[in-house]
Amino acid sequence: MADRRSHRFLRRALAVGCLIAAAGLPAGSSVTGPTDHGGPTILRVLQLNLCNSGRAGCYTGRSLERATEVISAEAPDLVTLNEICQDDVAVLERVFATVHTGRRVVSAFQAAGDRPSGGDTRCRNGQPYGLGLLTRARTSDAAPAVYRGIHPTQDLADPEERAWLCVDAVLLACTTHLANTSYGVALAQCRQLLDTILPTIRRRTGQPPVLLSGDLNLRDGGDPDVRSCAPPGHQRIDDGALQHIVATTDIGLCCRRSVTMHGATDHPGLLATLSIDGDWSGRPGT
C-alpha cells in the first residue's frame, strides 16, 4: 500500500512539473504527448466564444479571422467553440490541422435548438448556430465517439434551447454555452451536466478523464456561484468572468492565460494547460 501511495505521489509530482514547464513554453510551441516511459500527456486547451451568429450586438464579423490567428499562434491541442455557425467549424479545423501536421484531428458541431420552429437556431446567414469542438486524436481505425444533446432544463422565455457537446478522444472533451437569460436556469443546466449527463457517459466509456470548457454564464463569487455546480474534488479555472474550464480529479489543470481577441468578440480567449495520466493515452477508441 505504501508503495502504491509513493507511486501515485511521484506521478502527480511529475505531472505538476510538466504542467509548469509546458506553461512556460512560448506561444506556438508544441506541447507533447505521453513519453515513452509512461509519463503524463500534456495538452493545451483553448476556449473561444466567437459571437458569430450575426444577430447579437457583440457581432463584428471579425471573430472567425481572429480565431484562426489565435489557433495558428498558440497551437492548442483542444479547442472549444461557443456562438458559432456550422461552417465555422470546417474553417477552423483546417487551421487546426495545419498546426498539427501529421496528427489525426477531429471536429464536431452541435446546433442549439429553436423552440418556436422545433428545429435548429440559425445564424443570420442561415446556417445552424451552436457549439463546436476541435481536438487531436490517437491514430485508430475507429472514429472517436461524439455525444451531444439539448439541456433538459431551459428558460422557456428564451427561444434558444441551450446544448452540450462531447468528443471521446484522448479524454472526454466537452463544451456547452449555458443560459444567459436566467442565472437559475444556467445553474440547473450546469449541475445536470456535471452531476448526471457527463458521469453517465463516463461510466459507459470506461471512466476516461473529463474536461468541460465553455461559457457557463456563471461567475466565481456570483449569486448563484459557479462553484456550487461543480462536484466535490473537481478543479476549475476561469477567465475572471463567465468562461470556465472544469476537470475531473484525474486531470492536472493549471496556468490559465487570457488571449486578447482585439475587440473581435466580447470574450477573451481562455488558454490552460492540463496533464493526463499516461495510462489513458492509449485507451481503446482513441
Side-chain angles (χ1 to χ4, degrees):
M1 182 64 72
D3 288 343
R4 289 183 180 178
R5 284 197 296 266
S6 297
H7 181 65
R8 286 197 298 268
F9 177 80
L10 182 60
R11 294 185 75 91
R12 176 60 67 180
L14 176 61
V16 171
C18 289
L19 283 170
I20 294 171
L25 288 173
S29 297
S30 176
V31 181
T32 64
T35 62
D36 292 338
H37 53 76
T41 299
I42 307 298
L43 303 172
R44 299 168 83 220
V45 56
L46 174 67
Q47 156 63 21
L48 296 172
N49 182 325
L50 296 184
C51 190
N52 206 37
S53 70
R55 298 180 181 275
C58 53
Y59 175 75
T60 66
R62 296 185 288 109
S63 64
L64 189 62
E65 179 181 2
R66 178 56 185 155
T68 65
E69 294 170 351
V70 171
I71 291 171
S72 295
E74 300 292 348
D77 303 285
L78 167 65
V79 182
T80 53
L81 301 162
N82 299 162
E83 295 195 45
I84 59 166
C85 305
Q86 187 169 25
D87 286 358
D88 297 345
V89 177
V91 172
L92 296 178
E93 183 181 15
R94 288 193 290 271
V95 178
F96 188 75
T98 64
V99 298
H100 294 294
T101 304
R103 296 182 181 271
R104 185 181 182 196
V105 301
V106 295
S107 66
F109 174 81
Q110 169 61 32
D114 178 66
R115 184 174 296 102
S117 69
D120 297 335
T121 294
R122 298 277 170 174
C123 293
R124 187 172 63 182
N125 61 15
Q127 295 173 20
Y129 161 89
L131 310 168
L133 197 150
L134 310 170
T135 185
R136 283 172 35 191
R138 297 295 173 199
T139 302
S140 171
D141 292 335
V146 177
Y147 302 89
R148 50 169 63 94
I150 301 296
H151 288 283
T153 298
Q154 299 285 338
D155 180 0
L156 299 182
D158 182 4
E160 180 186 338
E161 295 180 318
R162 304 298 173 124
W164 58 270
L165 171 68
C166 298
V167 175
D168 185 17
V170 179
L171 73 167
L172 185 63
C174 304
T175 189
T176 191
H177 181 209
L178 302 183
N180 71 330
T181 53
S182 167
Y183 292 132
V185 171
L187 181 64
Q189 291 170 343
C190 185
R191 285 176 171 168
Q192 289 163 344
L193 190 59
L194 288 171
D195 288 344
T196 303
I197 296 171
L198 300 188
T200 298
I201 297 172
R202 193 183 194 203
R203 287 192 296 270
R204 293 174 179 172
T205 54
Q207 299 290 342
V210 178
L211 185 87
L212 173 65
S213 174
D215 182 349
L216 304 188
N217 275 308
L218 295 166
R219 294 178 183 269
D220 186 329
D223 184 17
D225 195 315
V226 68
R227 292 173 293 183
S228 67
C229 78
H234 278 54
Q235 304 165 80
R236 184 192 56 81
I237 59 174
D238 59 54
D239 65 352
L242 304 177
Q243 296 182 113
H244 303 265
I245 298 173
V246 184
T248 48
T249 56
D250 44 9
I251 294 176
L253 181 62
C254 88
C255 314
R256 74 178 182 188
R257 178 161 64 87
S258 288
V259 180
T260 181
M261 298 300 286
H262 297 307
T265 179
D266 59 341
H267 295 274
L270 174 59
L271 185 69
T273 304
L274 59 95
S275 169
I276 307 171
D277 191 303
D279 293 344
W280 285 104
S281 62
R283 262 193 324 127
T286 63

